[in-house]
Amino acid sequence: MDEPLESTTLRLADFMTSPQGWGREQGRVVYNKLLSFVESRPGTILFRVSIKGVTRVDISFASETIVELARRYRGIKGFAFIDLEDPDMLENWEAAAARKNQPIMVWNGSSGRVIGVEPSQGTVEAFLFALTRPRTRATEFVKAMPNIAIANASTKFKQLWEQGFLLRRENVAESGGVEYVYLRIGGPEV
Amino acid sequence: MLCTVALPSAWVNASRLEDALRLSGDPHGAAIYDVHILFPVGCKVMVDAAIRLLSLINQLSFCTLGVRLNFEEGEAGTMGYLNRVGFFDHLAPAVEVLPARPAVSGADIYRGTNLELVEIARINKDYRDETLLSRLTDALMCACGTRNDAGELKGAAWTIFAELIDNVFSHSATPLDGYAALQVYTRGGKLKVAVSDSGLGIMQTLRPALRTEFPKLTALSDTDLVVEIFRQGLSRHGPDRGCGLKYSAAKAIKFRANLDVRLPNNRVLLTPAAGSYQANTAYGYDQLPLMWGTHICFDFRLNG
């Protein structure tokens, strides 16, 4: 049976001194506070980043805070936005993520989209499949897409994990071997 | 040797200031010990020229040159406007002002009462003015609030101002302050927001890093390189930085703003074309008199 995914919600506004975040220097100060918060929770692998209470961020601030954190922990821990509805702020987070080539999920209820980087044409189908459920195994994808070989499916998920679109856990399969379980970053736990 | 900068009896924007500087020779020149700047009757200094002039004068004073400003019309003329925008509040104390420095600061008395003006604000990373971005954005919205795209413009303007000011912090490396100001010109149907610093120019910090970070761009002229800074986003720190100016420009283009960038010895004017700033629509001026730092002005149209 799959272990529950340890997650927490991080309110970005709690780490800022004002509702407006701008500039690299201020971003680095906030980054250090965020890093301490993340490091103090070694078992937590998913951080839902709530933007509630933040009225504006510029691209430099965005780049130095959550985007940098997501890049640092790529493949190890995941960061997903919630309560991010302001189009201008979304545009700035997106620009910062694109510049660092870092995909980040934005969730609005059960609907999620990735900003910063799009998955490649070869992996987009596997990514969309993984988004529909909290955990995915390559075997489940192959069952749904019988024309794809298991080795090919495994490669696609591995790429998505390495590029920061998904998280990954090692499980012991029923056969006794190692089985990788891929976890979407954010979204509702079912 | 004395260098005299004679401004014209007319509106003086950044271009006219450049003309006057070119005719004067080079106030930063090695043989120059004294600089006189003449403001004749009828001279009306605009905000983009005012903060460039302020930066230049403070640079010259910092180099221990004797600087004298001569306002022929006294406070009845452009001196009154400069006092209102806070020019003298930031002017180096050693600079001589004729007929005399204003007794009281117009900016101090009237600050915030004119919604079409944001008085000259100091930019210094040790004294960060947290209200400056909101004041600039509110002034812009007050002037451009009737545009159809006013809602979008507000968020974009805030980001543009934030990135420009943060850029001053990043490139400052100087004890001299940077400045920002905004003025609406209702009759001219435009709004100018200008940011100026006396630090290392973008080009001085970027050129040495080109060989390792962007080797294909080493052969570009300064004008073309400025275009690429705003188009691609280039930074001495490598490809994952430099996004601030690029996305500021991208936002400004959406609102068809013109962009004027003055570097230590050159100046580039960028006009939006086909949704971006392009090298073939950029006007470049090289071999200008030295002015340390980076000086940027965005011109927004009031009616979209």
Side-chain angles (χ1 to χ4, degrees):
Chain A
M1 180 164 156
D2 290 319
E3 283 174 43
L5 178 68
E6 202 169 314
S7 67
T8 192
T9 298
L10 174 165
R11 263 177 59 98
L12 181 60
D14 293 343
F15 296 81
M16 297 165 59
T17 50
S18 93
Q20 300 187 340
W22 62 279
R24 287 198 183 275
E25 202 165 290
Q26 195 188 64
R28 286 187 193 128
V29 172
V30 172
Y31 173 77
N32 285 330
K33 293 186 199 168
L34 291 167
L35 192 58
S36 299
F37 179 84
V38 172
E39 284 179 346
S40 69
R41 285 158 182 77
T44 306
I45 69 161
L46 172 62
F47 293 83
R48 291 186 173 84
V49 180
S50 169
I51 300 300
K52 203 170 264 177
V54 179
T55 53
R56 294 198 188 286
V57 294
D58 74 346
I59 300 157
S60 298
F61 179 89
S63 169
E64 293 295 331
T65 53
I66 302 299
V67 176
E68 182 56 30
L69 210 55
R71 184 166 77 159
R72 179 183 177 126
Y73 285 104
R74 185 186 291 186
I76 302 165
K77 293 176 190 284
F79 298 83
F81 287 115
I82 54 172
D83 309 318
L84 176 50
E85 281 145 32
D86 178 77
D88 198 71
M89 236 201 303
L90 184 63
E91 193 176 294
N92 289 355
W93 284 111
E94 191 155 17
R99 196 70 190 178
K100 289 198 163 166
N101 211 22
Q102 174 62 45
I104 304 191
M105 290 299 300
V106 179
W107 289 93
N108 186 1
S110 59
S111 138
R113 59 171 283 225
V114 68
I115 58 168
V117 191
E118 291 292 328
S120 66
Q121 238 181 345
T123 58
V124 68
E125 216 170 17
F127 177 64
L128 293 175
F129 182 82
L131 279 194
T132 60
R133 62 207 67 217
R135 295 165 185 76
T136 309
R137 291 168 175 79
T139 48
E140 292 165 356
F141 182 56
V142 170
K143 206 178 277 179
M145 309 275 170
N147 55 335
I148 295 179
I150 184 75
N152 188 6
S154 297
T155 307
K156 288 179 194 293
F157 283 110
K158 185 170 179 251
Q159 275 178 13
L160 288 166
W161 167 66
E162 285 172 343
Q163 289 163 356
F165 289 96
L166 299 174
L167 292 169
R168 187 171 88 168
R169 250 188 195 169
E170 274 183 32
N171 270 6
V172 179
E174 286 170 8
S175 62
V178 173
E179 174 195 52
Y180 290 115
V181 179
Y182 291 90
L183 313 165
R184 74 177 174 202
I185 300 176
E189 268 297 312
V190 181
Chain B
M1 203 167 93
L2 171 70
C3 169
T4 302
V5 181
L7 297 175
S9 297
W11 285 99
V12 178
N13 57 14
S15 297
R16 288 216 169 113
L17 173 63
E18 291 297 347
D19 293 341
L21 288 176
R22 259 201 311 263
L23 289 172
S24 77
D26 182 359
H28 264 298
I32 305 295
Y33 292 97
D34 288 295
V35 177
H36 290 180
I37 302 177
L38 304 179
F39 300 80
V41 174
C43 168
K44 294 174 189 163
V45 179
M46 298 176 88
V47 75
D48 51 344
I51 70 165
R52 286 180 193 192
L53 204 46
L54 178 61
S55 287
L56 176 65
I57 293 166
N58 286 348
Q59 290 167 18
L60 298 170
S61 181
F62 181 73
C63 295
T64 69
L65 270 69
V67 186
R68 177 189 291 171
L69 312 185
N70 189 348
F71 294 93
E72 285 187 353
E73 243 177 324
E75 284 213 58
T78 203
M79 184 180 181
Y81 171 74
L82 291 178
N83 185 30
R84 174 67 188 86
V85 297
F87 182 90
F88 297 99
D89 304 342
H90 301 281
L91 190 66
V95 176
E96 186 186 359
V97 178
L98 297 178
R101 279 190 185 237
V104 288
S105 161
D108 279 352
I109 296 173
Y110 299 110
R111 190 179 307 280
T113 56
N114 179 352
L115 297 174
E116 298 189 334
L117 167 72
V118 175
E119 292 83 358
I120 297 174
R122 171 191 190 198
I123 305 175
N124 181 315
K125 64 179 170 186
D126 297 325
Y127 302 94
R128 208 172 129 118
D129 178 354
E130 295 293 345
T131 66
L132 178 58
L133 288 184
S134 301
R135 286 191 286 127
L136 289 170
T137 310
D138 290 347
L140 182 131
M141 289 319 295
C142 195
C144 301
T146 56
R147 285 174 59 138
N148 294 333
D149 52 6
E152 274 180 82
L153 178 59
K154 188 172 186 179
W158 187 91
T159 302
I160 293 167
F161 300 150
E163 297 293 351
L164 288 182
I165 293 169
D166 191 50
N167 199 53
V168 175
F169 293 156
S170 305
H171 294 94
S172 58
T174 168
L176 295 173
D177 287 337
Y179 305 103
L182 178 152
Q183 176 76 63
V184 178
Y185 296 93
T186 313
R187 281 195 187 170
K190 65 168 76 166
L191 175 151
K192 284 177 183 287
V193 56
V195 176
S196 169
D197 75 76
S198 296
L200 299 170
I202 309 176
M203 216 57 84
Q204 278 167 284
T205 56
L206 183 60
R207 275 264 179 228
L210 279 185
R211 201 164 292 171
T212 52
E213 300 295 342
F214 308 97
K216 285 184 186 162
L217 304 180
T218 46
L220 288 186
S221 69
D222 282 353
T223 300
D224 289 345
L225 197 54
V226 168
V227 175
E228 292 312 311
I229 288 170
F230 286 91
R231 221 158 60 93
Q232 289 186 34
L234 306 176
S235 164
R236 63 186 147 150
H237 301 293
D240 66 350
R241 288 276 299 272
C243 52
L245 290 180
K246 172 188 169 177
Y247 289 108
S248 297
K251 283 174 190 280
I253 286 163
K254 278 197 216 166
F255 303 99
R256 290 184 292 140
N258 291 335
L259 174 57
D260 170 1
V261 185
R262 172 57 148 99
L263 299 168
N265 290 108
N266 51 359
R267 177 172 178 232
V268 181
L269 303 180
L270 299 164
T271 313
S276 86
Y277 292 123
Q278 304 281 351
N280 59 1
T281 55
Y283 299 91
Y285 303 87
D286 296 327
Q287 296 178 321
L288 299 179
L290 177 64
M291 194 188 291
W292 300 340
T294 304
H295 313 266
I296 295 177
C297 178
F298 279 103
D299 268 17
F300 289 89
R301 288 185 217 167
L302 297 185
N303 301 314

